[in-house]
Amino acid sequence: MASAAITLAAEAPKLSSANTGFMLIASALVLIMTPGLAFFYGGMVRVKSTLNMLMMSFISIGIVTILWVLYGFSLAFGTNNSLIGWDTDWFGLHKVGLTELWPGYTIPIFVFMVFQMMFAIITPALISGALADRVKFSAWSLFVALWLTVVYVPVAHWVWGSDGWAFKLGVIDFAGGTAVHINAGAGALGVILVIGKRVGFKKDPMRPHSLPLVMLGAGLLWFGWFGFNAGSWLGNDDGVGALMFVNTQVATAAAMLAWLAYEKIRHGAFTTLGAASGAVAGLVAITPSGGAVSPLGAIAVGAIAGVACAAAVGLKFKFGYDDSLDVVGVHMVGGIIGSLLIGFFATGKGQSTATGVFYGDHSFTQLWKQFAGVGAVLAYSLIASAVLAFLLDKTIGMRVTEDEEVAGIDQAEHAETAYDFSGAGGGIAGSATSVLAATESKKVDA
């Protein structure tokens, strides 16, 4: 009996300073993705909506951080239920020990909690891009709190919780194809079907006002995504995290090239917006599959996603839903593609970022499991998000007035503008500069 106890003690995981440090860095990388997303979205809108887009991402950092500590983490990763977690010791983190390890791993619960917090922060922020120009900031802030509680937390438990039904079924989602991207994309579709189109949709030009800002945001997303993906192995003792790092780079490059090739053939030009959007599509698609495919498989995943997402962004004009910044076309479609292609290209390990490892190969068995996970998350998020938007719209109202939307949501909601066109000079020169700047501003807004 004593020897058995010694053996068990020897096999029990011990805190790893290396893995703990790595995961803290990965958590910081995931956090920087949200400001990166803010810049990405902020550059894609017209001048008069820039600050609002930045704020819609930044407010998620504040709201989700507090709610995740109070109850979100407990409900997402508690045990004893297949639909929602529950662990009262984790409410407010009031009974979590400093060196208490996440079960089965070598990092503290605090580290796993904060890593998952960063995922929870960026997921509702992704939705904001679909709602550009027309949503009250107060209504959006309340929506973030409700959506985290009603949609994100249960879905995260299904997919990553050790008792979640999708986890037990064997659905592979390395780092968030279902829980993050399909969840956000379907949620965005549900909301925009309720709140309607922007004033002037399909009539007025709504071009990005700052493509350099878009490229900066895309670069920050690409950089931070290495923490998002490689960190989801919760360490790198067996090399899977390194594989995910490689596959993230490979798939993103392939998707960017594929998107550019598609738009050159279809529209006759290689655009910077296409390069940025293609990169994001590749990042999205490899997120669920990168731990289960080879680098050659990652090239295939990225290339397929690049073409498919480039084609999908035009569906909003065909079907008439106003997805302002292509959240549905990139995140929902990219997440679906990356999740389903596991059934075709998986060669080994696939992992749930919570606990445990799935060993899968490309097969129809794995494919139907992926279909089950994708279908359930898509349907639940779309319906629940639409219901939340409907309730908010009928109570406090989701949209700004038409006059406020036309004049500019930045001024109406934040009493600020992104750029000062007044000029630094005085007298005649200063007046001429101001007039010219105001004229150019109106042209861009148009």
Side-chain angles (χ1 to χ4, degrees):
M1 196 60 100
S3 61
I6 292 173
T7 301
L8 288 173
E11 294 176 351
K14 295 181 180 179
L15 191 149
S16 166
S17 298
N19 284 341
T20 297
F22 168 73
M23 289 306 300
L24 289 173
I25 294 171
S27 300
L29 286 172
V30 181
L31 177 61
I32 205 172
M33 291 171 65
T34 300
L37 180 72
F39 289 134
F40 182 70
Y41 282 168
M44 290 175 70
V45 296
R46 292 169 289 178
V47 168
K48 60 186 180 182
S49 303
T50 306
L51 295 180
N52 184 249
M53 287 313 308
L54 296 175
M55 283 292 288
M56 288 177 82
S57 286
F58 268 81
I59 197 63
S60 184
I61 299 175
I63 293 170
V64 175
T65 295
I66 301 303
L67 298 185
W68 192 252
V69 169
L70 292 178
Y71 62 81
F73 176 65
S74 177
L75 297 182
F77 290 98
T79 56
N80 302 320
N81 194 293
S82 62
L83 296 178
I84 194 71
W86 189 267
D87 193 324
T88 56
D89 287 349
W90 292 348
F91 279 109
L93 307 177
H94 69 294
K95 290 186 179 180
V96 178
L98 290 178
T99 58
E100 185 179 352
L101 299 183
W102 183 244
Y105 288 86
T106 59
I107 61 173
I109 291 177
F110 273 119
V111 175
F112 179 76
M113 182 279 301
V114 80
F115 181 67
Q116 285 299 324
M117 176 194 290
M118 305 314 178
F119 280 65
I121 285 170
I122 196 171
T123 307
L126 290 171
I127 297 173
S128 66
L131 316 179
D133 297 331
R134 59 201 189 275
V135 175
K136 292 179 182 176
F137 187 69
S138 56
W140 166 251
S141 300
L142 183 54
F143 176 83
V144 168
L146 294 173
W147 193 86
L148 174 81
T149 306
V150 175
V151 182
Y152 182 80
V153 163
V155 170
H157 181 73
W158 299 352
V159 176
W160 292 326
S162 58
D163 284 337
W165 69 265
F167 183 95
K168 289 181 177 179
L169 179 64
V171 177
I172 295 176
D173 186 354
F174 195 101
T178 52
V180 175
H181 297 292
I182 296 174
N183 202 5
L189 181 58
V191 176
I192 58 182
L193 291 177
V194 171
I195 67 170
K197 308 173 182 65
R198 288 168 290 178
V199 175
F201 176 65
K202 293 203 291 187
K203 297 178 182 177
D204 300 334
M206 298 180 179
R207 293 183 293 271
H209 89 278
S210 176
L211 289 170
L213 203 60
V214 173
M215 296 296 279
L216 172 62
L220 287 172
L221 285 169
W222 195 331
F223 175 71
W225 222 291
F226 289 114
F228 193 86
N229 280 356
S232 290
W233 193 245
L234 307 185
N236 195 33
D237 296 330
D238 57 3
V240 178
L243 172 66
M244 186 54 164
F245 195 107
V246 171
N247 283 347
T248 299
Q249 178 68 14
V250 168
T252 306
M256 180 181 67
L257 296 176
W259 187 302
L260 288 172
Y262 175 88
E263 71 175 4
K264 176 62 175 177
I265 295 169
R266 187 72 184 272
H267 305 294
F270 302 111
T271 69
T272 51
L273 182 60
S277 299
V280 173
L283 291 165
V284 170
I286 201 61
T287 291
S289 57
V293 302
S294 68
L296 290 178
I299 292 175
V301 169
I304 293 170
V307 173
C309 292
V313 297
L315 294 178
K316 63 184 180 182
F317 299 109
K318 181 177 181 180
F319 294 109
Y321 61 88
D322 187 7
D323 175 16
S324 305
L325 307 182
D326 302 319
V327 178
V328 176
V330 173
H331 292 276
M332 191 181 84
V333 173
I336 291 171
I337 289 170
S339 297
L340 296 183
L341 287 181
I342 292 172
F344 294 94
F345 296 121
T347 58
K349 288 184 179 180
Q351 183 247 3
S352 167
T353 193
T355 54
V357 179
F358 298 120
Y359 291 86
D361 206 344
H362 55 278
S363 65
F364 285 110
T365 299
Q366 188 60 51
L367 184 60
W368 82 258
K369 292 178 181 179
Q370 298 304 117
F371 265 110
V374 166
V377 172
L378 194 157
Y380 177 73
S381 182
L382 191 153
I383 295 170
S385 301
V387 170
L388 289 176
F390 178 81
L391 293 175
L392 287 174
D393 194 44
K394 294 302 180 183
T395 52
I396 64 173
M398 283 286 285
R399 293 189 64 143
V400 297
T401 67
E402 183 174 333
D403 288 343
E404 289 173 333
E405 182 180 333
V406 171
I409 197 169
D410 283 359
Q411 191 65 52
E413 290 292 296
H414 307 291
E416 298 172 306
T417 56
Y419 305 101
D420 181 4
F421 294 112
S422 63
I428 296 175
S431 299
T433 303
S434 299
V435 171
L436 177 61
T439 302
E440 292 301 315
S441 175
K442 290 179 181 178
K443 289 180 180 178
V444 175
D445 283 351

